[in-house]
């Protein structure tokens, strides 16, 4: 309650300052323009980047399993890190091809508070089903063992590391199948967005015959909702476990030491989407103080490393605490959902904020 009061006081002070100087608002883009900008400037480039990052992964796994050399392991770790960071940039786009057929869970099964992935993977390794090496066979297994988190599980097993020896023979079969499955999933998602009549066309051409979007407002709500979902995921799943001892949830890709890069890539992508939407241009002059508050919030989020420390590119001298990062992310989520989207005449219902 104290934080809420403090936030409201901050909003009021900014409002008085900006009203005094009389800042003028820019002409806002249309809802159609908002959707077009989100797709062309953010969504398509980020999914293309994920596809590009994933493409070399199978060869890197094969090389490790063939040689077990330090160079091969280093290359695989670097390739894997690039895919994880690219994935962090799209994790919150949980609609369209990412949502269809559960591809999001197949690509990255997290959070996993009950250790479901480890149990399923141990079961597979015990059974050693030879048919799992067949094309697309891993795609018929549990989503938990199909994607990046499953590959991380095998890569980070220090007791039986991936390599040419007999103990790792079947593990390599599974790892190679998973890497190929990640490529398949990223191909399917990008194709689903970009093909003629795909999801991009569906969002850009709403109408009575469109099964998903009847008008451009509905399409604009979709991308605004994705931004809100992303802020919620950052606050509740990445930051809140650091300040609430009752929450026992490991950070994403902690085994690989990629928690901080994942956070940084998530925040950078959210900021890019926020800029593409140009929601602030809908604000009337007396509400322009919100722009300054939002700018300060992005600086705070980007000054954190997501794990209680200072980001290497931080603009602030003192890194924000996890408590501040959590409150800032929550405040920005509320700002977008309750003020900026309202100013843009977009209705984002409460139930729509569930994400998946």
């Amino acid at each position: 309650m104290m934080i809420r009061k403090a936030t409201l006081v901050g909003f009021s002070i900014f409002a008085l300052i900006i009203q005094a100087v009389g800042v003028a608002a820019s002409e806002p883009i249309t809802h159609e323009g908002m959707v077009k900008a989100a797709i062309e400037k953010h969504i398509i480039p980020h999914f293309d980047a994920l596809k590009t990052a994933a493409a070399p992964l199978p060869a890197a796994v094969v090389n490790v399993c063939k040689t077990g050399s330090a160079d091969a392991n280093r290359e695989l770790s670097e390739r894997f890190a690039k895919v994880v960071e690219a994935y962090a940039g799209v994790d919150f786009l949980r609609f369209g091809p990412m949502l269809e057929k559960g591809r999001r869970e197949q690509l990255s099964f997290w959070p996993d508070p009950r250790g479901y992935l480890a149990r399923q993977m141990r079961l597979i390794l015990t059974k050693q089903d030879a048919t799992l090496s067949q094309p697309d066979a891993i795609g018929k297994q549990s989503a938990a063992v199909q994607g990046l988190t499953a590959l991380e599980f095998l890569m980070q097993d220090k007791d039986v590391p991936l390599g040419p020896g007999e103990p790792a023979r079947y593990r390599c079969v599974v790892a190679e199948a998973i890497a190929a499955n990640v490529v398949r999933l990223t191909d399917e998602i990008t194709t689903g967005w970009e093909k003629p009549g795909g999801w991009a066309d569906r969002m850009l051409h709403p109408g009575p015959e469109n099964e998903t979007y009847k008008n451009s407002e509905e399409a604009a709500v979709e991308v605004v909702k994705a931004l809100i979902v992303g802020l919620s995921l950052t606050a509740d799943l990445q930051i809140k476990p650091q300040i609430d001892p009752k929450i026992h949830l490991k950070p994403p890709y902690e085994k690989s030491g990629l928690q901080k890069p994942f956070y940084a890539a998530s925040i950078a992508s959210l900021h890019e989407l926020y800029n593409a939407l140009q929601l602030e241009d809908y604000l009337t002059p007396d509400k322009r103080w919100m722009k300054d508050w939002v700018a300060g919030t992005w600086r705070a989020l980007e000054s954190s490393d997501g794990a209680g420390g200072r980001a290497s590119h931080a603009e602030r001298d003192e890194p924000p605490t996890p408590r501040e990062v959590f409150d800032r992310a929550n405040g920005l989520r509320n700002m977008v959902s309750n003020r900026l989207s309202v100013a843009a005449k977009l209705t984002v219902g409460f139930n729509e904020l569930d994400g998946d």
Side-chain angles (χ1 to χ4, degrees):
M1 184 62 73
M2 293 180 64
I3 293 170
R4 183 181 179 184
K5 289 181 178 178
T7 302
L8 292 174
V9 169
F11 286 173
S12 300
I13 293 173
F14 273 122
L16 292 173
I17 294 173
I18 298 305
Q19 285 180 42
V21 299
V23 177
S26 304
E27 186 68 22
I29 61 174
T30 63
H31 292 157
E32 182 181 2
M34 185 187 298
V35 174
K36 189 173 189 294
I39 291 174
E40 295 181 352
K41 295 180 179 179
H42 183 272
I43 295 174
I44 296 298
H46 273 274
F47 277 122
D48 283 346
L50 175 60
K51 178 181 176 180
T52 299
L57 198 56
V61 174
V62 168
N63 196 25
V64 167
C65 290
K66 181 178 180 180
T67 69
S69 69
D71 286 344
N73 275 287
R74 182 167 51 254
E75 180 188 8
L76 176 56
S77 295
E78 292 173 355
R79 297 290 188 192
F80 182 78
K82 289 181 179 178
V83 183
V84 169
E85 290 179 45
Y87 173 75
V90 302
D91 174 56
F92 55 92
L93 298 173
R94 300 182 175 191
F95 63 96
M98 186 84 125
L99 180 65
E100 293 174 332
K101 299 182 180 180
R103 292 192 182 98
R104 202 281 299 174
E105 290 81 3
Q106 294 174 55
L107 259 179
S108 180
F109 193 81
W110 185 87
D112 183 19
R114 298 182 179 179
Y116 188 71
L117 186 160
R119 292 201 302 274
Q120 290 293 306
M121 186 59 76
R122 281 195 289 268
L123 190 62
I124 286 177
L125 296 176
T126 299
K127 288 185 174 179
Q128 298 206 0
D129 182 358
T131 63
L132 210 60
S133 62
Q134 300 300 313
D136 300 332
I138 194 75
K140 298 175 182 176
Q141 301 291 318
S142 164
V145 300
Q146 292 190 33
L148 295 169
T149 43
L151 183 57
E152 179 191 44
F153 179 90
L154 294 171
M155 288 172 57
Q156 298 303 320
D157 188 338
K158 305 304 181 187
D159 294 330
V160 189
L162 296 178
E166 178 58 27
R169 183 190 60 79
Y170 188 73
R171 290 169 179 262
C172 279
V173 169
V174 178
E176 291 170 12
I178 292 172
N181 196 53
V182 169
V183 173
R184 176 185 68 82
L185 290 166
T186 57
D187 284 347
E188 289 181 356
I189 293 171
T190 52
T191 299
W193 270 101
E194 300 175 25
K195 67 180 181 181
W199 208 269
D201 279 349
R202 190 179 300 192
M203 298 190 76
L204 292 171
H205 301 94
E209 303 301 322
N210 190 318
E211 297 178 354
T212 309
Y213 307 108
K214 299 304 180 187
N215 52 58
S216 57
E217 178 184 336
E218 291 184 0
V221 165
E222 188 81 274
V223 288
V224 172
K225 186 177 67 177
L227 173 63
I228 296 169
V229 167
L231 292 167
S232 299
L233 294 173
T234 300
D236 296 338
L237 298 185
Q238 294 192 58
I239 305 302
K240 192 172 183 179
Q242 299 175 42
I243 60 177
D244 188 343
K246 297 190 294 298
I247 299 176
H248 302 287
L249 180 63
K250 293 182 178 179
Y253 298 97
E254 182 185 46
K255 286 185 175 65
S256 300
L258 297 173
Q259 174 191 359
K260 295 178 182 178
F262 189 96
Y263 170 85
S266 297
I267 294 299
S269 181
L270 288 167
H271 198 170
E272 289 175 12
L273 178 58
Y274 179 85
N275 289 339
L277 296 177
Q278 300 182 52
L279 291 168
E280 295 170 355
D281 290 346
Y282 283 89
L283 295 173
T284 54
D286 63 314
K287 302 286 179 59
R288 296 292 291 173
W289 58 269
M290 296 181 191
K291 182 176 181 179
D292 298 288
W293 184 87
V294 170
T297 291
W298 283 121
R299 282 195 297 273
L301 296 179
E302 291 166 346
S303 294
S304 170
D305 66 359
R310 183 176 186 273
S312 59
H313 56 280
E315 293 187 14
R316 291 175 27 161
D317 293 334
E318 295 295 328
T321 64
R323 177 81 246 181
E324 182 185 350
V325 174
F326 176 75
D327 290 338
R328 286 280 193 171
N330 255 334
L332 184 53
R333 172 177 60 183
N334 292 331
M335 177 70 81
V336 173
S337 60
N338 297 324
R339 293 178 182 251
L340 292 170
S341 62
V342 172
K345 296 180 173 54
L346 297 173
T347 302
V348 183
F350 177 80
N351 291 334
E352 291 175 308
L353 306 185
D354 293 341
D356 53 0

